[in-house]
Amino acid sequence: MPLTRCTRTSSSATISNRRTPKCSASSSSSPSSSSFTMTNNKNRNVIRRRNERTKRKTNATGAAAAASAVEEEEEAKNTTEQVPTWAAREFTEEGRVFTETFPIRFDEVGPNKLADMGTMARISQECACNHAQGLWGRSQSMPEDMRKVDMAWVCTRLHLDIFEYPKWGDQVVVKTWFESQGRVAARRDWDLVNNETEKRVGKATSQWIAFNLKTRRMGRIPSQVVEDFQLQQWCNEPIMGSEYEVEKLPDARDIGAIEGSQCSVPVVHYTRRSDLDMNGHVNNCIYTEWLLESVPQSYRDEYELKELIIEFKAECNFGDVIEAVCCEDTSSYVGDSVFLAHTLTKKSDEKQTEVVRARTIWAKR
């Protein structure tokens, strides 16, 4: 530090003056003034470097924040793109074919994240019902001329053939159409396609009859409805092919009576209110679930269910007790496939009424 020489005021000066001495640098004893200047320059350099570091840090922080914001925006964009959009429902083929896209939901898959036969039956049924609403109005499953005479459509037979089960999150495009068969019956077909791969994952066909809700018997379709059907039906080749024939299904009870036959332990189901549809009887898809519950786990481990053929023979109402049983049909082996015969019988009545008869075809995994 430069040396200084302080000159004090006279003794008569006030205390305040003595506390503030007047200092002047001595030219003879102090170094050059450049020393003070160098110190100030050094301080300024330190401050400048500190400011530059702070600025760089601030810029880096800002750049990182900006980059992070861009990444978040890109991630959000990618996430949005992963959520598919689709046209849910539409009529095609001049209004004769109804198409609906179904996303496979979380509660429709099993531990393997794949849909099952019950799911495929449900989306097929839902598509058919929405087709009816598209033709005849919301909440209407049949034409007005049929409602006036207490007539309804009842499914008597369903055949589902599944090539590949969709996984959770997949979208299945279901197309359905019908063709009248005289004044008492009709055929309805379905085509099921993966929306992303455009690969057919399944197909189905069904038989329907006109049913009188009062007499609980078959009835004749009103003439006006038959005429309307001619404009609404699609007379394309049947989805199962022109050579398709309706086979007679074996009775599991008859197979079970054969010595040495392999049959499951009967499974009992109690009809709940939640099992009923808007017509007051058990929904067709519930029957599918009931009969499949009787299949032993050993079959499920070794085989995969590919086809379901089911015949609906009698109504089932709230409070009914239903027994499900299945037996291996050794007379119907094809390659490595296994055929199971199923029956649902009403145990709550004396006649032991057969409610459902079915066949399932299982392919080797």
Side-chain angles (χ1 to χ4, degrees), residues 248-264 299 325-333 338-343 354 357-360:
K248 182 180 180 180
L249 299 183
D251 189 336
R253 294 170 296 182
D254 293 339
I255 296 176
I258 300 174
E259 185 177 355
S261 60
Q262 298 184 37
C263 295
S264 67
Y299 285 92
V325 66
C326 72
C327 298
E328 187 171 329
D329 183 8
T330 56
S331 65
S332 301
Y333 277 119
V338 170
F339 288 64
L340 298 181
H342 302 258
T343 186
E354 185 180 24
R357 183 178 296 186
R359 166 185 280 167
T360 55

Side-chain angles (χ1 to χ4, degrees), residues 158-186:
L158 171 66
H159 183 176
L160 279 161
D161 187 2
I162 305 302
F163 314 136
E164 179 182 314
Y165 287 101
K167 62 181 181 297
W168 176 36
D170 282 351
Q171 298 171 5
V172 180
V173 179
V174 184
K175 296 181 180 180
T176 187
W177 60 92
F178 63 81
E179 181 179 344
S180 63
Q181 299 175 329
R183 294 190 60 182
V184 296

